[in-house]
């Protein structure tokens, strides 16, 4: 995050890597490593770059220095580096640092909101038998990621998600597991930093289609937006303003077409009750 925003500051000033390198009396390759996140930066060098880029306000400068200090903090997931792919580590890092997450998930409850049983069923993918070591690691990480919703430093992650009705009806793990998941959504929707909406089947055609996405927004002084697209084998991250603006527009359309947060909570509760009745009928039958 620090490197990407330093690059943006430099480009906004229409400066080259060589200009920044001259300011620090180093090679352009060092600036490139800093901007790509492959190398840290000393506070003295950061102050010199902020001078070059015209960042003068004391509060804004302190924000940049805080980013640099935070970049040296040991992250909880680093002990798992040898067991997780790099793009997944990037995702965990995003959620640990961002201030806000918005997104659309048409077919499955997002990992940030999954119960242990639901997450286990998703990770197992319909296969029978116990989880493998890799799958257990993924489950552990998924549950750990959810702590951002209740963290105290920094402020809890603000989450605004639109869920497709299909995600609430697919009986992942069976009816009992799904009911528990729906009740979990009802509970988490009560958090002041969480907004959930449901796009019902009756909404008809909508922008975005069946492809899920998440948009992450970093706190000041960054102002950086990142769109996450997931596929079966990897994650793609979009940072270009045109891309983030497009997905922002799609999200605005989806939330406008979806049920209100209160009506969405009522639907979640109703679906949970339906599952309870069906479960009881199946047991008595």
């Amino acid at each position: 995050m620090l490197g990407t925003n330093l690059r943006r500051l430099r480009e906004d000033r229409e400066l080259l890597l060589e200009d920044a390198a001259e300011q620090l009396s180093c090679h352009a390759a060092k600036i490139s490593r800093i901007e790509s996140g492959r190398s840290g930066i000393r506070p003295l060098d950061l102050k010199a770059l902020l001078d070059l880029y015209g960042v003068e306000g004391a509060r804004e400068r302190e924000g940049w220095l805080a980013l640099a200090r935070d970049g040296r903090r040991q992250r909880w997931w680093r002990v798992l580096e040898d067991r997780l792919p790099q793009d997944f580590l990037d995702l965990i890092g995003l959620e640990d640092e961002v201030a806000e997450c918005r997104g659309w998930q048409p077919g499955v409850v997002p990992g940030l909101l999954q119960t242990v049983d639901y997450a286990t069923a998703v990770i197992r993918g319909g296969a029978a038998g116990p989880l493998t070591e890799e799958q257990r690691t993924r489950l552990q990480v998924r549950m750990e990621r959810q702590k951002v919703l209740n963290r105290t430093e920094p402020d809890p992650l603000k989450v605004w998600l639109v869920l497709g009705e299909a995600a609430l009806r697919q009986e992942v793990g069976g009816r009992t597991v799904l009911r528990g998941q729906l009740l979990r959504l009802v509970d988490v929707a009560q958090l002041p930093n969480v907004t959930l909406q449901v796009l019902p089947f009756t909404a008809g055609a909508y922008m975005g289609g069946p492809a899920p996405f998440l948009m992450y927004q970093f706190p000041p002084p960054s102002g950086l937006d990142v769109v996450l697209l997931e596929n079966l084998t990897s994650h793609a991250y979009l940072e270009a303003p045109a891309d983030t603006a497009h997905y922002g527009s799609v999200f605005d359309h989806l939330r406008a077409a979806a049920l209100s947060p209160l009506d969405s909570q009522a639907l979640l509760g109703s679906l949970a009750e339906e599952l309870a009745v069906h479960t009881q009928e199946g047991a008595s039958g």
Side-chain angles (χ1 to χ4, degrees):
M1 178 173 63
L2 177 63
T4 297
N5 281 280
L6 285 174
R7 173 176 55 79
R8 288 190 172 189
L9 283 179
R10 176 177 60 77
E11 292 176 346
D12 287 345
R13 288 279 173 167
E14 298 183 349
L15 297 172
L16 302 175
L17 286 170
E18 288 75 12
D19 298 319
E22 182 178 353
Q23 179 78 352
L24 299 189
S25 300
C26 66
H27 293 293
K30 177 179 178 179
I31 303 299
S32 179
R33 290 195 299 272
I34 291 172
E35 291 184 353
S36 65
R38 298 195 305 271
S39 176
I41 183 171
R42 299 181 304 167
L44 187 64
D45 288 341
L46 177 56
K47 291 177 182 178
L49 288 182
L50 294 178
D51 291 339
L52 177 64
Y53 301 153
V55 179
E56 299 177 351
R59 185 172 182 177
E60 186 176 2
R61 289 174 70 91
E62 175 53 34
W64 286 103
L65 292 168
L67 281 180
R69 290 193 297 270
D70 195 55
R72 293 189 291 272
R73 178 167 55 89
Q74 182 67 25
R75 268 45 173 194
W76 62 265
W77 64 87
R78 291 305 179 192
V79 296
L80 303 172
E81 281 185 313
D82 60 338
R83 288 186 277 169
L84 295 172
Q86 184 58 49
D87 61 344
F88 189 62
L89 290 170
D90 291 340
L91 169 60
I92 301 171
L94 271 177
E95 291 175 346
D96 200 49
E97 301 293 342
V98 296
E100 184 175 343
C101 173
R102 295 173 292 158
W104 158 241
Q105 179 52 263
V108 66
V109 174
L112 277 176
L113 307 179
Q114 292 176 1
T115 64
V116 173
D117 291 338
Y118 187 97
T120 300
V122 170
I123 291 172
R124 183 178 281 126
L131 297 178
T132 65
E133 181 178 353
E134 177 187 355
Q135 290 173 329
R136 288 195 299 272
T137 299
R138 290 172 57 192
L139 178 62
Q140 172 192 349
V141 170
R142 188 163 301 183
M143 295 299 104
E144 190 72 24
R145 285 167 53 198
Q146 296 181 4
K147 292 182 179 180
V148 297
L149 298 175
N150 303 103
R151 68 192 179 193
T152 56
E153 183 61 37
D155 291 338
L157 178 67
K158 294 180 180 179
V159 175
W160 191 338
L161 295 174
V162 179
L163 308 180
E165 186 174 342
L168 310 178
R169 292 187 177 274
Q170 188 75 23
E171 295 184 3
V172 175
R175 290 177 178 175
T176 301
V177 170
L178 178 58
R179 182 172 184 271
Q181 178 62 70
L182 294 175
L183 293 176
R184 159 70 173 162
L185 293 177
V186 172
D187 288 341
V188 79
Q190 308 304 314
L191 295 175
N193 54 306
V194 175
T195 301
L196 294 182
Q197 291 183 257
V198 177
L199 186 72
F201 292 142
T202 55
Y206 54 88
M207 289 182 65
F213 63 86
L214 291 173
M215 299 185 298
Y216 294 101
Q217 184 176 64
F218 287 92
S222 168
L224 176 66
D225 291 332
V226 177
V227 175
L228 167 66
L229 303 177
E230 294 186 67
N231 57 44
L232 292 177
T233 57
S234 63
H235 304 79
Y237 299 94
L238 309 179
E239 300 176 14
D243 291 327
T244 57
H246 172 72
Y247 280 93
S249 177
V250 171
F251 178 78
D252 287 341
H253 172 86
L254 289 166
R255 67 183 179 87
L259 299 175
S260 70
L262 285 178
D263 287 343
S264 297
Q265 291 180 41
L267 177 60
L268 288 167
S270 175
L271 292 176
E273 284 302 312
E274 287 181 19
L275 287 170
V277 170
H278 290 321
T279 301
Q280 292 171 358
E281 290 177 348
S284 61

